[in-house]
Amino acid sequence: MIEIPRLPLADWIDAGLDVLTDQFATATKIVSNLMETGIEGAVETLMWLPPWASILLISLLAWRLAGARTAVLALLGLGLLWNLGLWEPTLQTLVLVLIATLIAVLIGAPLGILAALSPTAYRIVFPVLDFMQTMPAFVYLIPAIPFFGLGPVAAVFSTVIFAMPPAIRLTTLGIRQVPADLVEAADAFGSTRWQKLAKVQLPLAVPTIMAGINQTIMLALSMVVIAAMIGAQGLGGEVWRAIQRNEAGMGFEAGLAVVILAMVLDRITQGIGRRNPSRAG
Amino acid sequence: MPEEQSVKIAVRGLTKVFGDEPERALELLRQGETKQTILERTGQAVGVADASFDVYEGEILVVMGLSGSGKSSLIRCLNRLNEPTCGEILIDGQDIVGLDHRALLEVRRRKFGMVFQHFALFPHRTIRENVEYGLEIQGMAPEARAEKALVALRQVGLEGWENATPGQLSGGMQQRVGLARALAVDPDVLLMDEAFSALDPLIRRDMQQELVALQNRMQKTIVFITHDLDEALFLGNRIILMKDARIEQVGSAEDILSNPATAYVERFVAEVDKTKVLTAGAVMRRARTVAFTTDGPRTVLRKMEDEDLNVLCVVEGDFRLRGIVRDETALAAVQRGARSIQDIIEPGIEPVSPETPVRDLFGPLAAGPLPAPVIDEAGRLKGIVVRASLLQGLAEAGLANGNGSVEPETPEAPASEPSATEEHAA
């Protein structure tokens, strides 16, 4: 009998992460502190406005970007959250989602463009995306803690990893979907690679890229709630507390708040996507 | 005449192989293997095989062939949208095959304008922004390029549509925008890839005529790709016929029709109706006898009797066509003592230009005894076409007898009843 020894895969990963943590401890601590200050600052700034003013502002924004129905939805839905005393956790969640989305798009869009233009980049990036999307979301929480410590920054870190794939995928898809004859026309007139990208490919990819950003926001929202387990505050924190205290009613209230926030964010970003000139133009 | 013209583009030994092992395909090509054999043996697709030809300054050169014959690959080699596998492309004496990327962009910007089969307009840009595209990427200031775009749009008859988007325009209008976009950069050479193939037949005919008019005005060098022999014959000063990546024949429309170089060309053109090539100018008779507007009815009757005609064309002193006069109305005018033919001139007759294909004349000539007057651009009478002269022209082209398929659109085969208007021929 030949005994095949168990591969110490977990040990290797731990060792790797330890090395990374040691190497980058200072850097991650600085990033962590800066971001934590930023997040708290953002929440405080938003809290400084009275809730009714914030709700009116968001409704106005929804009306401008996505129409009257979304505005009414925002007004009533957010009003309900205020009434339930969930305004502050809602804002905390919103800030985490927006920051995570911003970082995901800032990293994801250029990667998506690169993967669309370079076959080599495509062959490297897309398998990694498959890995990122199929790995259970909770797993990302574990290494986030040694890097950034418990708290909102670790939550943002794991959220970015979890929510970034659609931003990359749909950016690549949007650019690849630009009809070949339009790209050829751009070439025939002597466009540089950059001109072709900026004047033809990206503008025509915008609706698809916006759909990707919409997906990223939705994923970020779900992850930010899960990230309550590593100390992110907000609506996820409310849900987590309800679980620990076995208070189903309170848990549903917080859950409903997540749903309302998701609907408002979804309608607004879809509205932005529609406003952009599309192929049908 | 080609000999007197200067060469704009000289193509020598141009070959394009699509695939990852072009060397093997080149080797087989040198041994004279065909495109099919090479594809089967090596998996390499030969787009263009050893093409050599010149494009003269100011001509319309039509490259014609069926789909898959390599004509699109060929035109894309000229501005290196397809990278040539080997060969030379000299534009104004400069070989562009060896140019680096930067220099190539410069050549594309300065020398070429391209028009595409499916228009390839940018849907997110307005018509004006589409037309400006070539100038914009050259870095021209916004006011200057807007002005040039306007000029180009005026040339194609789309003034006033600057702020529309491509989706709001019909196919024919979209292709005018495509043409304006190419003209706006004021290129030396227009590359037109099946530019009119996606348009419906009437619009297509209009666009062909406008292109010829535009070319007469602007003296652009045009390389035009088509799979349609009629279009090639109508547009081309010279025609290149391609089959299976090779050039079968280069020549004028007449060369191709009357001296096909290969059996393939012969079969290809056998389908063509020669009546489309024969023009009114070629079959018209000099109008030796005409009535002047100042003539009296008696004079007109005398002229008719002398020439044994019953209809005369009426012209001004400078031979500008006014209409026709008939013998019976002239006789009636004499009987009621009229002194001038002014009020018996029938102005309704439809004149044709010398370039009108004779097949367009069958209908009017078959309909009645009236001749078809041929006029020049200034409206002056150059001659008339009557049925007898039309038949004679067809007979000389070797068509009137033999196959009964002269032209399906003719209600009566012209050979059947030549007598009705015999009197005009005298």
Side-chain angles (χ1 to χ4, degrees):
Chain A
M1 288 292 281
I2 308 163
E3 191 163 321
I4 302 172
R6 183 190 185 281
L7 276 177
L9 198 55
D11 295 341
W12 292 346
I13 293 173
D14 283 342
L17 284 173
D18 283 346
V19 172
L20 284 177
T21 320
D22 289 347
Q23 291 292 317
F24 297 107
T26 337
T28 52
K29 280 278 140 39
I30 293 169
V31 170
S32 185
N33 287 337
L34 277 176
M35 260 182 80
E36 206 157 343
T37 320
I39 292 169
E40 276 165 15
V43 175
E44 270 166 31
T45 311
L46 289 173
M47 283 303 292
W48 176 77
L49 271 177
W52 58 266
S54 299
I55 292 172
L56 275 181
L57 273 178
I58 293 172
S59 301
L60 199 67
L61 191 74
W63 182 58
R64 297 289 301 161
L65 293 174
R69 286 179 56 170
T70 307
V72 173
L73 173 80
L75 196 66
L76 295 180
L78 298 179
L80 176 66
L81 300 191
W82 181 28
N83 175 264
L84 294 176
L86 290 171
W87 185 245
E88 185 169 3
T90 302
L91 277 186
Q92 286 165 339
T93 297
L94 185 66
V95 166
L96 289 182
V97 166
L98 293 183
I99 288 175
T101 303
L102 187 71
I103 296 173
V105 171
L106 283 179
I107 300 172
L111 272 177
I113 293 170
L114 194 68
L117 301 183
S118 146
T120 313
Y122 183 87
R123 277 196 297 274
I124 296 169
V125 169
F126 270 64
V128 175
L129 292 186
D130 292 335
F131 181 92
M132 282 163 73
Q133 282 189 295
T134 44
M135 178 66 71
F138 297 97
V139 179
Y140 295 125
L141 300 176
I142 312 168
I145 299 166
F147 277 120
F148 301 103
L150 281 171
V153 180
V156 167
F157 170 82
S158 46
T159 302
V160 166
I161 292 177
F162 181 71
M164 193 164 50
I168 300 176
R169 273 187 204 281
L170 287 165
T171 302
T172 303
L173 180 71
I175 290 175
R176 289 192 157 202
Q177 268 177 345
V178 173
D181 59 343
L182 298 185
V183 178
E184 192 176 49
D187 279 330
F189 283 96
S191 312
T192 62
R193 206 171 185 179
W194 172 247
Q195 285 172 330
K196 191 166 62 175
L197 185 67
K199 292 180 193 293
V200 177
Q201 291 172 305
L202 273 182
L204 290 173
V206 162
T208 313
I209 295 175
M210 279 311 299
I213 293 177
N214 173 277
Q215 289 295 300
T216 293
I217 290 178
M218 294 298 108
L219 286 182
L221 186 57
S222 67
M223 189 64 193
V224 160
V225 172
I226 293 170
M229 290 197 289
I230 55 168
Q233 295 157 304
L235 294 171
E238 299 300 312
V239 176
W240 191 236
R241 200 167 319 145
I243 293 173
Q244 285 166 331
R245 296 183 192 165
N246 196 17
E247 290 178 6
M250 206 186 116
F252 270 100
E253 275 183 7
L256 186 67
V258 172
V259 172
I260 289 171
L261 190 59
M263 282 171 72
V264 172
L265 285 174
D266 180 61
R267 298 297 183 277
I268 291 179
T269 48
Q270 276 189 18
I272 297 172
R274 270 197 304 274
R275 277 159 52 90
N276 275 284
S278 67
R279 283 283 298 155
Chain B
M1 284 289 101
E3 288 79 18
E4 299 160 14
Q5 289 173 324
S6 57
V7 173
K8 185 72 192 174
I9 306 177
V11 177
R12 296 291 175 265
L14 177 67
T15 301
K16 171 66 187 171
V17 176
F18 296 97
D20 44 7
E21 297 172 297
E23 287 310 317
R24 288 179 63 201
L26 287 179
E27 183 58 38
L28 290 173
L29 272 178
R30 272 192 286 275
Q31 294 164 18
E33 294 292 349
T34 65
K35 177 181 170 169
Q36 276 78 12
T37 322
I38 294 172
L39 183 63
E40 279 160 26
R41 280 212 239 151
T42 68
Q44 308 294 298
V46 180
V48 181
D50 196 24
S52 297
F53 60 93
D54 292 327
V55 184
Y56 299 112
E57 188 97 48
E59 76 166 340
I60 301 185
L61 175 69
V62 174
V63 182
M64 187 185 55
L66 302 175
S67 58
S69 61
K71 52 193 193 307
S72 284
S73 307
L74 178 67
I75 201 176
R76 279 170 175 70
C77 282
L78 297 183
N79 59 359
R80 278 177 60 191
L81 286 178
N82 281 345
E83 204 57 57
T85 308
C86 64
E88 289 180 355
I89 300 168
L90 302 157
I91 298 175
D92 296 324
Q94 178 194 30
D95 187 2
I96 64 154
V97 173
L99 291 182
D100 64 24
H101 187 67
R102 199 68 236 183
L104 174 63
L105 288 186
E106 211 44 42
V107 166
R108 285 178 179 166
R109 289 176 178 186
R110 306 286 167 202
K111 303 276 185 182
F112 290 110
M114 195 161 182
V115 184
F116 298 86
Q117 178 172 7
H118 298 292
F119 323 138
L121 300 182
F122 302 123
H124 60 295
R125 297 175 145 239
T126 65
I127 298 308
R128 182 177 54 75
E129 289 167 342
N130 263 283
V131 175
E132 280 178 6
Y133 184 82
L135 303 167
E136 184 181 325
I137 60 171
Q138 291 175 17
M140 185 181 282
E143 306 80 43
R145 66 187 196 228
E147 202 169 302
K148 289 207 168 199
L150 214 64
V151 172
L153 279 169
R154 208 172 291 144
Q155 279 165 350
V156 301
L158 277 183
E159 218 178 345
W161 289 88
E162 297 82 27
N163 296 318
T165 54
Q168 296 169 320
L169 269 54
S170 70
M173 290 164 83
Q174 290 193 35
Q175 195 56 302
R176 284 167 198 266
V177 178
L179 191 56
R181 180 174 62 180
L183 289 172
V185 296
D186 194 21
D188 295 0
V189 182
L190 270 181
L191 302 176
M192 303 187 70
D193 179 26
E194 299 258 13
F196 302 150
S197 300
L199 305 176
D200 67 57
L202 282 177
I203 310 268
R204 191 167 174 183
R205 178 43 67 129
D206 282 351
M207 292 290 283
Q208 289 167 354
Q209 282 166 353
E210 277 187 45
L211 183 66
V212 170
L214 203 78
Q215 202 260 358
N216 285 335
R217 240 181 11 248
M218 307 182 71
Q219 292 299 312
K220 294 281 176 208
T221 306
I222 300 176
V223 181
F224 193 103
I225 301 278
T226 182
H227 63 266
D228 178 357
L229 186 53
D230 288 339
E231 187 166 72
L233 294 173
F234 182 81
L235 291 175
N237 298 107
R238 290 187 312 134
I239 296 171
I240 291 179
L241 208 129
M242 286 189 80
K243 182 205 173 207
D244 294 341
R246 289 183 193 275
I247 292 181
E248 290 277 312
Q249 186 169 3
V250 184
S252 67
E254 278 140 68
D255 287 341
I256 301 241
L257 287 176
S258 42
N259 303 309
T262 65
Y264 174 77
V265 179
E266 197 164 359
R267 275 205 314 284
F268 201 101
V269 300
E271 308 300 319
V272 187
D273 175 2
K274 286 192 185 172
T275 55
K276 285 175 187 163
V277 203
L278 219 50
T279 62
V283 300
M284 72 181 182
R285 301 261 162 102
R286 291 259 153 261
R288 277 175 315 208
T289 308
V290 293
F292 292 99
T293 47
T294 49
D295 285 348
R298 264 178 214 284
T299 323
V300 171
L301 270 182
R302 171 95 34 79
K303 285 181 178 174
M304 286 180 181
E305 273 160 24
D306 288 347
E307 296 291 334
D308 202 14
L309 298 169
N310 52 12
V311 178
L312 279 185
C313 290
V314 183
V315 295
E316 304 276 10
D318 59 0
F319 273 79
R320 281 217 314 277
L321 182 70
R322 279 286 309 276
I324 54 159
V325 57
R326 294 173 197 261
D327 55 1
E328 60 261 40
T329 49
L331 191 61
V334 169
Q335 281 161 357
R336 66 170 188 267
R339 308 205 51 98
S340 152
I341 58 164
Q342 286 289 359
D343 41 8
I344 58 169
I345 299 172
E346 297 176 42
I349 193 157
E350 196 68 61
V352 299
S353 85
E355 282 82 28
T356 308
V358 295
R359 65 168 191 155
D360 292 353
L361 300 174
F362 287 133
L365 287 178
L370 299 180
V374 182
I375 59 169
D376 63 13
E377 301 92 331
R380 282 190 291 269
L381 185 69
K382 303 301 287 182
I384 56 170
V385 179
V386 297
R387 259 207 252 189
S389 60
L390 179 59
L391 285 177
Q392 198 180 335
L394 288 175
E396 278 161 12
L399 274 166
N401 334 319
N403 56 19
S405 67
V406 171
E407 177 49 41
E409 289 161 34
T410 337
E412 317 143 57
S416 60
E417 42 166 329
S419 59
T421 51
E422 197 73 301
E423 58 266 41
H424 290 296

